[in-house]
Amino acid sequence: FAKHCGDGSRVWNLVPIGHQSGYGSGTDIHAGTDLEARKAIFGLVGDAYITVEGGPGVSAEAKVAHERGVAVLPLRRTGGASDGMF
């Protein structure tokens, strides 16, 4: 996905400290020491969120984003959290 977002100058990949995204495009931004910390931060940084499928983690991140007044667009037909499962 990231490789198809133009020259990558406006793509930021949020990854735990010490990890690399491996996407080959964009800039890796290191936040949190592990996946759980990254997930907690993820819902606090975006201007808008689009969810595709997802489990409880996606549901929690979308809830944090929604509670701070950010637009969250779930693609419901993909199922899972995007369809209200969690």
Side-chain angles (χ1 to χ4, degrees), residues 13-62:
N13 309 305
L14 188 63
V15 295
I17 294 169
H19 291 81
Q20 303 297 320
S21 68
Y23 296 143
S25 182
T27 302
D28 286 357
I29 304 295
H30 296 96
T33 55
D34 58 21
L35 181 59
E36 290 305 312
R38 192 233 22 113
K39 290 192 312 188
I41 294 166
F42 192 78
L44 301 172
V45 298
D47 296 321
Y49 294 81
I50 299 172
T51 64
V52 179
E53 297 181 88
V58 169
S59 179
E61 293 166 7

Side-chain angles (χ1 to χ4, degrees), residues 59-84:
S59 179
E61 293 166 7
K63 182 179 179 187
V64 168
H66 183 266
E67 287 174 348
R68 65 182 186 90
V70 175
V72 177
L73 176 63
L75 301 180
R76 293 195 66 182
R77 292 190 64 132
T78 63
S82 295
D83 193 33

